């Protein structure tokens, strides 16, 4: 007699007022060609205080090939949404997909296969960045910015990425009831903090080379200004993580690295701006990341999520 596969995976999709994008993400999960028999639930963590995603979930529930769970996270913030999504399932493996992403048909199977092969606590997959028409000379930069690349082969990695398009072993990577730090609800970086803690505990990370998703940057994000604000926030992370560890020498090191980068890329930015070089957005990005390492303390953190997102979608 055939043995039923264990339903040990939950797919969590945090969302905030993006019904069309959310439906695309959900349908991409429904269309998985393998591994759906292991899905315990697809959990939508609705971060809108008004609960605007609920009607869509009700409409799709009857056609979903796997259980579809609605979890309301009314306090705006990406960390809160992830925690609420986790609380809605007891699955041993957690896959995160963002509401502006669409998974390829073999996405989940590739993540699960990579986890079985590597034994990693967290797996990341590649992302193709997609931006709306009309982004002009910044298009190639924005596609790279919203994308993610890595090795061509599946295996262990020392590189840490964001939660979108990831698979985590709950017992080791997400050991607490609320593992994402809600102090970072509006700034982001909750995944960096989580993964830095896991790394300090001896956790391992892997790369699933075939677990492709497309990320469709919405129009309000597909701008050079928004990308550079995010780049500045990314630059802050090494200094902030060193400060969290109480590593004063590490903070000083990263601030010095940032100061050197700011000087070099600042001069380069002036030159490429004058010459209008096609790669100038990449140079501005490096300058922003250098500045972030220097100006990493509270008060300099960009507000990109939570209440700030509500204002952009009001």
């Amino acid at each position: 007699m055939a043995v039923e596969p264990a339903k040990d995976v939950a797919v969590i999709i945090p969302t905030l007022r993006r019904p069309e994008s959310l439906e695309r993400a959900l349908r991409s999960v429904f269309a998985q060609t393998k591994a759906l028999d292991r899905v315990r639930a697809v959990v939508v963590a609705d971060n809108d205080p008004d609960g605007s995603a609920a009607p869509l979930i009700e409409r799709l529930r009857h056609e979903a090939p796997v259980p579809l769970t609605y979890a309301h996270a009314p306090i705006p913030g990406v960390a809160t949404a992830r925690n609420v999504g986790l609380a809605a399932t007891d699955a041993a493996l957690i896959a995160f997909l963002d509401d502006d992403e669409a998974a390829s048909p073999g996405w989940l199977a590739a993540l699960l296969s990579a986890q079985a092969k590597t034994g990693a606590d967290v797996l990341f997959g590649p992302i193709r960045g997609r931006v709306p028409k009309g982004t002009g000379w910044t298009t190639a930069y924005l596609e790279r910015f919203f994308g993610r690349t890595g090795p061509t082969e599946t295996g262990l990695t020392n590189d840490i990425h964001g939660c979108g398009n990831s698979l985590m072993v709950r017992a080791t990577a997400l050991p607490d009831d609320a593992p994402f730090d809600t102090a970072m609800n509006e700034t982001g970086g909750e995944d960096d903090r989580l993964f830095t803690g896991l790394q300090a505990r001896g956790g391992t990370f892997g790369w699933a080379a075939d677990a492709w998703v497309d990320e469709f940057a919405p129009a309000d994000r597909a701008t050079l200004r928004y990308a550079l604000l995010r780049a500045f926030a990314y630059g802050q992370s090494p200094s902030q993580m060193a400060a969290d560890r109480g590593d004063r020498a590490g903070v000083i090191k990263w601030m010095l690295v940032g100061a050197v980068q700011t000087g070099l890329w600042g001069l380069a930015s002036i030159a490429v701006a004058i010459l209008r070089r096609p790669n100038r957005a990449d140079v501005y990005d490096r300058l922003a990341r250098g500045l972030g390492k220097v100006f990493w303390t509270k008060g300099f953190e960009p507000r990109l999520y939570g209440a700030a997102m509500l204002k952009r979608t009001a």
Side-chain angles (χ1 to χ4, degrees):
M1 185 173 67
V3 178
E4 287 288 326
K7 292 188 178 295
D8 55 353
V9 184
V11 179
I12 296 178
I13 307 177
T15 190
L16 177 56
R17 293 182 181 172
R18 291 179 183 158
E20 294 180 0
S21 183
L22 174 61
E23 181 167 356
R24 178 177 57 210
L26 285 167
R27 290 192 180 280
S28 77
V29 177
F30 300 164
Q32 294 297 293
T33 53
K34 297 178 181 178
L36 276 182
D37 55 357
R38 290 184 59 179
V39 175
R40 182 168 299 187
V42 176
V43 179
V44 173
D46 185 1
N47 206 203
D48 183 359
D50 298 330
S52 59
L56 173 65
I57 304 311
E58 285 303 312
R59 175 165 64 83
L60 293 181
R61 187 168 276 134
H62 75 280
E63 60 183 283
V66 291
L68 186 55
T69 300
Y70 175 81
H72 194 200
I75 299 173
V78 62
T80 292
R82 296 194 194 284
N83 287 337
V84 168
L86 284 168
T89 179
D90 61 355
L93 297 171
I94 303 294
F96 280 103
L97 187 71
D98 288 345
D99 68 351
D100 56 2
E101 294 177 336
S104 62
W107 166 71
L108 187 57
L111 284 174
L112 291 169
S113 174
Q115 200 286 320
K117 177 180 178 180
T118 65
D121 300 296
V122 178
L123 281 300
F124 304 107
I127 299 172
R128 280 180 290 258
R130 309 290 195 190
V131 298
K133 292 181 180 179
T135 51
W137 65 273
T138 63
T139 297
Y141 162 73
L142 291 172
E143 287 177 342
R144 289 192 298 274
F145 183 84
F146 289 104
R148 178 196 293 166
T149 58
T152 58
E153 300 292 331
T154 292
L156 291 172
T157 180
N158 292 321
D159 295 328
I160 294 176
H161 303 281
C163 272
N165 189 11
S166 66
L167 178 74
M168 306 187 200
V169 178
R170 186 168 195 154
T172 53
L174 303 160
D176 302 319
D177 291 338
F180 292 100
D181 188 349
T182 56
M184 311 190 85
N185 259 340
E186 295 192 359
T187 61
E190 79 293 339
D191 39 12
D192 283 343
R193 182 160 291 181
L194 177 78
F195 297 146
T196 299
L198 175 61
Q199 196 172 44
R201 300 193 303 271
T204 55
F205 300 88
W207 178 256
D210 298 321
W212 280 97
V213 307
D214 291 296
E215 180 167 328
F216 297 85
D220 65 316
R221 292 189 176 195
T223 67
L224 182 61
R225 179 181 181 277
Y226 179 84
L228 293 181
L229 279 174
R230 282 263 298 267
F232 177 83
Y234 292 156
Q236 290 178 314
S237 289
S239 301
Q240 290 175 340
M241 295 304 105
D244 287 344
R245 297 191 301 269
D247 179 6
R248 183 174 297 182
V251 172
I252 294 171
K253 181 193 82 170
W254 285 115
M255 290 182 70
L256 289 173
V257 169
V260 172
Q261 290 176 335
T262 297
L264 292 175
W265 293 115
L267 291 172
S269 293
I270 295 171
V272 297
I274 293 172
L275 297 172
R276 300 188 66 78
R277 295 290 296 272
N279 69 331
R280 58 192 183 275
D282 295 282
V283 178
Y284 303 157
D285 181 289
R286 291 180 174 89
L287 171 59
R289 292 173 194 251
L291 285 167
K293 293 180 181 69
V294 178
F295 300 101
W296 59 271
T297 58
K298 290 189 181 300
F300 291 107
E301 297 166 318
R303 296 295 187 263
L304 301 170
Y305 304 98
M309 284 187 68
L310 281 178
K311 289 180 182 177
R312 289 199 299 270
T313 58

